[in-house]
Amino acid sequence: MIIRETEQLSKWINESDNIVFFGGAGVSTESNIPDFRSQDGLYNMKYKYPPETIISHSFYMKNTEEFYRFYKDKMIYRDAKPNRAHVALARLEKQGKLKAVITQNIDGLHQLAGNENVYELHGSVLRNYCEDCGKFFDVDYILSAEEVPYCNKEGCRGRIKPDVVLYEEGLDSKIIEKAVMAIRNADMLIVGGTSLTVYPAAGFIDYYRGNKLVLINKDVTPVDGRADLCIHEKIGDVLSSVIK
């Protein structure tokens, strides 16, 4: 890790009091949750159907059993624990500097680490709802179902759907509005663990108006040239070294 870069990051954090973090799958890979597009990611695994097809709305509607077989096996990591990046961000929030975490992840690890102001763009595997009556079910109920989970409310046998945004589904407009507002008001924006290639989420950085845009990602991203500071290292290494 280049000392000069981490020193600059530490200086900016110390100077800022309205920091927003925007993160992707790379934040959770250190918790042994695979991402999607890397060499070992879900999109490069071999299934009867491509993963991006399985986790689409139309596939869920037409092939619900097959959807849930994949979903339970590859989308839920019940034993995953927050890693150094999650812990560092929770610490930064407790210090009063980090005002919001905007995440593309659905694992709930930011909240488990202690962050409270988290905007989940793609929902969460921890929340599940009956499509008929709206009753809430936790992730353990989903995992305990033999195949497709159904509602256990008296008089209702509706199908239960995970509160995650599938392909072909739109993002929650209220979550988008809050995330955009947080970025607009931020004096520092830290973007980490994301390739910034998937829209609309990748376009969120366009709303940042400050001069402390920091990108932390192991690989080069299409917007590296726009960053005020770019660090190509593991996000857990970087954040744990500067947030004490």
Side-chain angles (χ1 to χ4, degrees):
M1 193 181 306
I2 300 175
I3 296 178
R4 180 176 58 82
E5 294 175 342
T6 55
E7 286 180 344
Q8 181 67 72
L9 176 59
S10 180
K11 180 176 182 293
W12 283 354
I13 289 175
N14 290 333
E15 294 173 349
S16 305
D17 58 13
N18 190 344
I19 302 171
V20 170
F21 178 81
F22 174 61
V27 177
S28 292
T29 52
E30 292 178 47
S31 294
N32 296 316
I33 297 178
D35 62 9
F36 283 78
R37 291 173 173 78
S38 69
Q39 183 176 352
D40 299 319
L42 290 178
Y43 285 177
N44 289 308
M45 296 179 181
K46 303 301 180 183
Y47 293 95
K48 183 178 179 181
Y49 302 93
E52 58 266 41
T53 297
I54 298 176
I55 53 177
S56 68
H57 177 81
S58 56
F59 191 93
Y60 166 78
M61 297 297 292
K62 297 176 182 178
N63 302 277
T64 312
E65 287 187 14
E66 186 71 23
F67 168 88
Y68 265 110
R69 276 194 287 271
F70 177 87
Y71 180 78
K72 293 179 185 180
D73 188 39
K74 296 299 180 183
M75 303 296 287
I76 299 176
Y77 291 84
R78 196 69 182 93
D79 297 327
K81 299 292 189 293
N83 59 53
R84 293 174 301 163
H86 297 109
V87 171
L89 290 167
R91 187 180 300 126
L92 194 61
E93 184 180 284
K94 287 183 173 63
Q95 294 172 3
K97 288 182 169 292
L98 183 66
K99 303 304 183 184
V101 170
I102 302 166
T103 180
Q104 300 175 74
N105 298 332
I106 59 175
D107 49 49
L109 291 181
H110 285 293
Q111 292 93 327
L112 190 58
N115 280 114
E116 296 183 2
N117 197 26
V118 181
Y119 301 133
E120 296 171 313
L121 297 179
H122 297 153
S124 172
V125 298
L126 304 181
R127 299 188 301 269
N128 307 273
Y129 298 93
C130 172
E131 292 181 306
D132 289 350
C133 73
K135 181 179 177 179
F136 168 85
F137 292 89
D138 63 20
V139 66
D140 292 326
Y141 188 88
I142 302 301
L143 291 172
S144 65
E146 290 188 7
E147 292 181 344
V148 178
Y150 288 95
C151 185
N152 61 6
K153 182 179 178 180
E154 184 176 354
C156 180
R157 283 289 293 169
R159 182 174 57 186
I160 298 172
K161 183 181 183 298
D163 187 21
V164 298
V165 179
L166 304 177
Y167 282 102
E168 303 167 352
E169 295 179 343
L171 303 185
D172 187 309
S173 59
K174 292 182 180 179
I175 297 296
I176 292 177
E177 183 178 349
K178 291 178 181 179
V180 167
M181 185 62 65
I183 292 174
R184 277 180 173 161
N185 292 333
D187 56 15
M188 181 177 185
L189 177 62
I190 303 175
V191 180
T194 174
S195 61
L196 292 172
T197 57
V198 179
Y199 286 82
F204 276 36
I205 66 170
D206 294 339
Y207 295 100
Y208 178 60
R209 299 170 176 174
N211 58 0
K212 296 184 181 72
L213 173 59
V214 180
L215 298 186
I216 307 171
N217 199 56
K218 287 196 298 182
D219 302 316
V220 174
T221 78
V223 296
D224 277 13
R226 294 172 52 188
D228 300 296
L229 179 63
C230 198
I231 303 176
H232 292 139
E233 300 284 351
K234 287 184 176 180
I235 190 166
D237 289 345
V238 176
L239 295 183
S240 63
S241 70
V242 299
I243 302 172
K244 305 296 186 182

